[in-house]
Amino acid sequence: MGRAGGIEDTMSRIERVDRKEILFVGDYVPRQCGIATFTRDLREAVAGQAGKAYRCGVVVINDVPEGYRYEDCVRFEIRESVQGDYRRAAEFINISSAAVVCLQHEYGLFGGPSGSHILMMLRRLRRPLVTTLHTVLAEPLEDQKKVLTEICQLSTRVIVMAEKAKQFLLDIYGVEPEKVVHIPHGIPDVPFVDPAFYKDKFGVEGRELILTFGLLSPGKGVEYVIKALPAVVARHPDVAYMIVGATHPHVRKAKGEEYRTGLHRLARELGVERNVIFQNRFVEAAELCEFLCAADICATPYLAEAQIVSGVLAYVLGTGNAIVSTPYWYAREILAEDRGRIVPFKDHDAIAEQLIDLLDNNVERDAMRKRAYQYSRRMIWPEVGKRYLKVFKEAQKTPVRPAAVVTKPDAAGADAPSLADELPEIDLRHFRMLTDSTGLLQHCLYATPDRRHGYATDDNARALIVAAMYWNQTHDETIIPLLQTYLAFLSYALDNDSGRFRNFMNYDRQWAEMVGSEDSHGRALWGLGICVAMCRSEPIVGLATRLFERGLSVADKFISPRAWAFTIVGIHAYLRRFGGDSEARRARQVLAEMLFRHFVENSSDDWPWCEDVVTYDNAKLAHALLLSGKWMFRSDMIEMGERSLRWLLETQTGENGNLSVIGTNGWYTRGRTKAQFDQQPVEAHGLIDACVEAYNVTGQDYWLDQARRCFNWFLGDNDLQQVVCDFTTGGCRDGIHPDRLNSNQGAESTLAWLMSLLLMTERQTLQTLGLPIADKIVEADPSEVL
């Protein structure tokens, strides 16, 4: 009997696997997010209508590295900020039994600027794509419009939940009318009941109940209902206003319970504390419906007009509630024909007037409830699931475009890989291991930190760049303590009396020198400038700005061209945040002129360089000229930067066309042969950084090709044809000897590798949007930690 049962179970599993599958892409419960709940409810509704014809699975987007404990229907997990995961998801879907893919689109769900990482997956799909849009903006930013336009182009059908959204798609995004389908937001099918039935369950028996629900955040406008309560309470003394829902997780991480505490305080100050009830928890759908059924009136006093759909309002309508709402787009559409009352934004007097009128007039309130309930019957999940299933079947009849192959023709006309070739995943294991409570250690014996050599400002400044870039791309909060560590090191390194940074520190935290080199000072300013540009925490930006300003005050006295160049690059990063800082702009002018003059006075037609010996970090000088020329509108600086960078690339090209950087064993003296070894990773990184900036300035694809060629030096396209980075540790070997790799994996080499990879990853993302990397610093939501 047991054997027969086992065979039946096996056959059942095989039958399920052989069935066609509908794959939903989005976040998913137990993640606390409205779209996660929507994805779950939609999947279940479609599964209920599909019966045995289709399996219904989910490809989830994880906002935390460890993910969540999902149901068995989850088939694949994507880490939000890891581009490679999106490509691998496309491969998984393409070889699966998926008949159609249904994407839940909201900009904030996916990694990259305006959620552009999802394009990495969609371009490679070989299955019909049906996209549900949860946000459609009337005035999108350039990259938002590009992302949504391409998603709609790649989609067989686009589903919207409001007629206004459909009009936006036609007028603003140029979507073909026949692609767009209006299906309302789904809701549970609950009976129409008297509110008194559930009130005792929530301790409000015999009281009139006004209710607002949803994840709590400042944009909800709850304070305006509380401000309306004194007038309401004067007429209805026993009225209760219940606020149901936990604080939004992102808000709680950034601000704690500041907003909720402020609401408590406001209620006390207005003398309505006994009339306000907080249910501070995440409420599942079944209990939520009971809350809603107990309410006499529901309020959605949101502060922003640009909300094209609201699951909250859909649920409220579906439980047959009287509704008072501000005029955001979805409310104006769905509450038409007297299904609710509309009040102006941020107008507590208008809210009070409508609440009082509805509480005074039971007949009108009940009539409004019935109108809302009857209208919502077309929105119940079984009806919505049926309509989605119909769209899915239609989508399968439409020919699917071939998956995109991201290539471009080379000079010979053949297809050559572009910058969009797959990049390695960012791995910070070795970076983290090199860091202790003081800062980043300088050297390693093989891959083990060598404490005998202590720390350096040079390395901690570059570590600050890595941490800031990583945060800017991923918003991974685990990097924050490291970022603070490197910033603290630079703060301790600055001598406030002289304004100079010390460089070398022994492992016992004693400085080995009183004044560091000019180059280390310039690198410190470079790191601080990047930190100011890419971080969003006021305390972090405040300290970085103070250190930057103090360190910048002495930079005009330097005589090292590389110190000038590092400082200029740092200034440009700083000015991306504080573009109006006159002192920084003046410093840029002075240093850029000094650097340019140095080139003019020392270069010649056959030696377009500013010194008689080409030594280390050479490309940073060309990089600084390109940046300065672009933002100071100096074509002569741009021309000099381009010329010197082209020369560096030509000079450092091996016999096989690979990058062969100038070696430290002799450098390259004018009139002599350049040293081939030892080659160091810092040179490859400098060239990559400069080439990307050259592309930003000129728009010429040549520079992206060169950036990729230089990057490939790390991956084995070098004179030894050996991989320099180490995927087993996350670090990078210290360089190339004539006969072998240097097996040590110190700070400078690992930082050069990580900065190169982060830069190429960001460039790859922005290339999909046609945007220059230096002009696109990802704006963090105010609720985020940095």
Side-chain angles (χ1 to χ4, degrees):
M1 188 70 174
R3 178 178 170 79
I7 292 173
E8 289 175 4
D9 289 343
T10 301
M11 294 300 293
S12 177
R13 284 196 296 271
I14 292 172
E15 184 182 343
R16 287 199 301 271
V17 170
D18 285 343
R19 274 188 291 160
K20 291 183 178 179
E21 187 169 22
I22 298 168
L23 282 176
F24 296 86
V25 180
D27 57 354
Y28 203 73
V29 293
R31 180 172 170 181
Q32 294 184 1
C33 169
I35 296 178
T37 303
F38 181 94
T39 307
R40 188 266 315 274
D41 292 342
L42 176 60
R43 189 201 73 81
E44 291 180 351
V46 172
Q49 296 298 317
K52 293 185 176 181
Y54 295 94
R55 290 188 299 147
C56 291
V58 186
V59 174
V60 297
I61 311 296
N62 287 330
D63 62 336
V64 291
E66 64 273 19
Y68 300 88
R69 297 187 67 178
Y70 292 115
E71 301 172 17
D72 291 343
C73 62
V74 170
R75 304 266 280 116
F76 195 92
E77 299 181 36
I78 298 173
R79 290 165 293 177
E80 177 186 304
S81 61
V82 179
Q83 293 186 41
D85 281 7
Y86 293 87
R87 289 188 287 268
R88 286 184 280 273
E91 294 172 6
F92 175 83
I93 294 170
N94 287 338
I95 64 172
S96 74
S97 60
V100 66
V101 176
C102 183
L103 173 71
Q104 305 306 306
H105 180 263
E106 167 65 60
Y107 289 111
L109 274 185
F110 312 106
S114 298
S116 57
H117 282 2
I118 190 62
L119 296 174
M120 300 277 183
M121 185 186 92
L122 302 186
R123 289 171 179 170
R124 292 165 169 79
L125 277 184
R126 298 197 301 270
R127 297 291 185 274
L129 174 65
V130 175
T131 298
T132 303
L133 299 180
H134 292 261
T135 294
V136 183
L137 300 173
E139 297 179 350
L141 299 174
E142 180 186 3
D143 49 343
Q144 291 173 329
K145 185 176 180 181
K146 286 183 176 181
V147 169
L148 189 57
T149 298
E150 183 169 352
I151 288 173
C152 292
Q153 290 171 347
L154 295 171
S155 300
T156 305
R157 293 288 186 275
V158 178
I159 295 174
V160 295
M161 291 176 267
E163 283 297 323
K164 194 173 191 71
K166 181 175 182 178
Q167 201 58 49
F168 284 168
L169 289 180
L170 303 184
D171 297 344
I172 300 168
Y173 299 87
V175 181
E176 303 95 319
E178 60 273 15
K179 267 193 179 184
V180 186
V181 182
H182 178 195
I183 301 178
H185 193 295
I187 56 173
D189 186 8
V190 298
F192 186 74
V193 299
D194 188 321
F197 185 80
Y198 284 107
K199 285 187 176 181
D200 61 331
K201 184 171 183 177
F202 303 113
V204 290
E205 189 174 11
R207 302 177 70 179
E208 293 157 317
L209 178 62
I210 304 165
L211 186 138
T212 293
F213 87 90
L215 293 173
L216 195 62
S217 66
K220 297 294 185 182
V222 172
E223 61 269 29
Y224 290 95
V225 179
I226 294 176
K227 290 178 181 178
L229 281 182
V232 178
V233 170
R235 191 170 183 92
H236 296 269
D238 290 330
V239 72
Y241 177 41
M242 187 176 291
I243 302 157
V244 179
T247 300
H248 195 289
H250 290 171
V251 174
R252 190 168 59 248
K253 287 179 183 177
K255 302 288 186 179
E257 295 291 354
E258 180 180 319
Y259 180 59
R260 186 183 298 273
T261 302
L263 296 177
H264 279 283
R265 184 170 59 251
L266 178 63
R268 285 196 304 271
E269 292 171 353
L270 295 176
V272 293
E273 185 177 13
R274 64 173 294 273
N275 301 93
V276 180
I277 302 169
F278 287 90
Q279 294 282 351
N280 184 9
R281 56 195 175 89
F282 187 79
V283 179
E284 293 293 343
E287 187 181 13
L288 173 59
C289 289
E290 294 179 349
F291 273 111
L292 292 172
C293 288
D296 296 285
I297 302 171
C298 284
T300 61
Y302 304 159
L303 305 183
E305 181 185 36
Q307 186 162 344
I308 204 68
V309 66
S310 167
V312 168
L313 188 55
Y315 269 58
V316 169
L317 204 72
T319 48
N321 280 103
I323 304 165
V324 174
S325 177
T326 49
Y328 52 94
W329 294 330
Y330 188 66
R332 287 207 303 263
E333 181 171 318
I334 206 169
L335 297 183
E337 300 178 352
D338 294 325
R339 289 187 290 271
R341 299 280 180 88
I342 299 293
V343 297
F345 293 109
K346 301 181 180 181
D347 190 338
H348 64 273
D349 290 331
I351 293 173
E353 180 182 346
Q354 294 301 328
L355 290 175
I356 290 169
D357 185 60
L358 287 172
L359 291 173
D360 283 349
N361 295 284
N362 292 340
V363 174
E364 170 55 25
R365 188 172 75 246
D366 287 342
M368 180 185 291
R369 292 182 60 225
K370 290 177 183 177
R371 287 192 292 270
Y373 187 78
Q374 289 168 355
Y375 176 83
S376 70
R377 293 309 85 199
R378 66 192 186 96
M379 300 167 62
I380 60 174
W381 277 117
E383 292 299 317
V384 169
K386 189 183 301 181
R387 293 185 63 181
Y388 266 88
L389 189 59
K390 180 182 178 183
V391 171
F392 294 156
K393 290 178 179 178
E394 291 172 353
Q396 293 176 62
K397 298 175 184 177
T398 304
V400 179
R401 54 177 292 283
V405 179
V406 188
T407 61
K408 63 181 181 179
D410 62 15
D415 282 343
S418 78
L419 191 63
D421 291 340
E422 184 161 355
L423 296 168
E425 187 175 325
I426 297 164
D427 183 352
L428 299 184
R429 284 177 298 155
H430 193 60
F431 178 72
R432 294 178 188 275
M433 190 178 65
L434 283 169
T435 305
D436 62 15
S437 61
T438 300
L440 194 85
L441 288 154
Q442 281 194 83
H443 294 292
C444 279
L445 293 170
Y446 294 90
T448 302
D450 185 355
R451 293 184 172 91
R452 292 173 298 176
H453 298 281
Y455 316 85
T457 291
D458 278 327
D459 295 326
N460 280 273
R462 286 181 286 220
L464 183 63
I465 293 172
V466 168
M469 291 178 72
Y470 184 75
W471 163 257
N472 191 50
Q473 291 183 30
T474 68
H475 292 182
D476 178 356
E477 294 178 14
T478 64
I479 201 67
I480 297 168
L482 297 182
L483 191 151
Q484 294 273 30
T485 296
Y486 310 133
L487 186 59
F489 186 96
L490 295 184
S491 177
Y492 188 52
L494 181 65
D495 176 44
N496 286 312
D497 293 334
S498 66
R500 291 291 300 273
F501 288 94
R502 291 164 285 220
N503 191 14
F504 296 113
M505 175 190 280
N506 298 324
Y507 186 67
D508 62 2
R509 295 186 176 181
Q510 299 299 310
W511 290 108
E513 58 190 4
M514 295 307 296
V515 178
S517 67
E518 290 183 1
D519 288 3
S520 67
H521 190 106
R523 289 192 184 95
L525 292 175
W526 175 24
L528 291 167
I530 293 292
C531 181
V532 170
M534 293 189 174
C535 298
R536 287 294 173 265
S537 163
E538 286 189 11
I540 289 175
V541 172
L543 176 56
T545 300
R546 189 178 77 179
L547 297 175
F548 182 86
E549 290 173 345
R550 185 69 184 94
L552 185 61
S553 66
V554 301
D556 61 344
K557 300 178 177 61
F558 291 162
I559 60 173
S560 165
R562 284 162 186 76
W564 301 338
F566 294 135
T567 303
I568 288 169
V569 175
I571 289 173
H572 279 284
Y574 172 85
L575 289 174
R576 297 209 298 269
R577 179 73 181 269
F578 297 122
D581 189 322
S582 299
E583 191 61 39
R585 293 164 71 93
R586 282 192 289 269
R588 175 181 64 184
Q589 176 81 27
V590 169
L591 295 173
E593 291 287 2
M594 291 165 63
L595 181 59
F596 180 67
R597 188 163 56 248
H598 203 58
F599 268 87
V600 171
E601 292 173 353
N602 291 278
S603 64
S604 63
D605 290 342
D606 62 341
W607 187 264
W609 195 241
C610 63
E611 301 166 315
D612 288 336
V613 182
V614 184
T615 55
Y616 62 94
D617 255 331
N618 303 300
K620 196 57 65 181
L621 280 68
H623 186 179
L625 285 174
L626 288 163
L627 272 171
S628 300
K630 177 182 179 180
W631 295 108
M632 293 168 59
F633 305 101
R634 290 282 300 273
S635 59
D636 53 349
M637 289 185 180
I638 292 175
E639 183 180 352
M640 184 67 78
E642 270 198 275
R643 181 178 170 223
S644 60
L645 183 56
R646 283 182 185 272
W647 180 74
L648 285 174
L649 289 166
E650 292 166 2
T651 300
Q652 299 179 97
T653 297
E655 293 180 359
N656 297 319
N658 59 276
L659 180 66
S660 177
V661 300
I662 292 170
T664 59
N665 188 21
W667 305 115
Y668 182 23
T669 301
R670 192 195 297 235
R672 299 182 184 177
T673 303
K674 79 177 181 73
Q676 187 176 3
F677 299 103
D678 295 340
Q679 298 182 26
Q680 295 191 330
V682 68
E683 302 303 323
H685 165 257
L687 287 166
I688 295 165
D689 212 354
C691 286
V692 168
E693 188 55 44
Y695 172 78
N696 292 341
V697 173
T698 67
Q700 297 172 4
D701 288 342
Y702 164 82
W703 295 112
L704 290 186
D705 294 338
Q706 292 301 312
R708 184 71 205 212
R709 183 173 73 93
C710 296
F711 182 77
N712 287 343
W713 182 91
F714 288 100
L715 303 179
D717 193 9
N718 51 54
D719 288 341
L720 291 189
Q721 295 293 292
Q722 294 187 38
V723 177
V724 183
C725 58
D726 186 349
F727 294 113
T728 65
T729 66
C732 181
R733 298 171 181 90
D734 279 350
I736 298 177
H737 298 309
D739 58 339
R740 59 185 172 82
L741 296 176
N742 184 328
S743 297
N744 297 328
Q745 299 181 24
E748 182 179 87
S749 56
T750 296
L751 294 167
W753 159 243
L754 290 173
M755 286 192 289
S756 299
L757 180 56
L758 285 161
L759 182 65
M760 294 294 283
T761 301
E762 184 74 353
R763 179 62 256 168
Q764 183 185 73
T765 301
L766 297 179
Q767 190 180 9
T768 66
L769 301 173
L771 296 172
I773 190 169
D775 297 347
K776 182 63 184 176
I777 297 299
V778 179
E779 292 290 340
D781 186 276
S783 67
E784 291 170 331
V785 175
L786 277 183

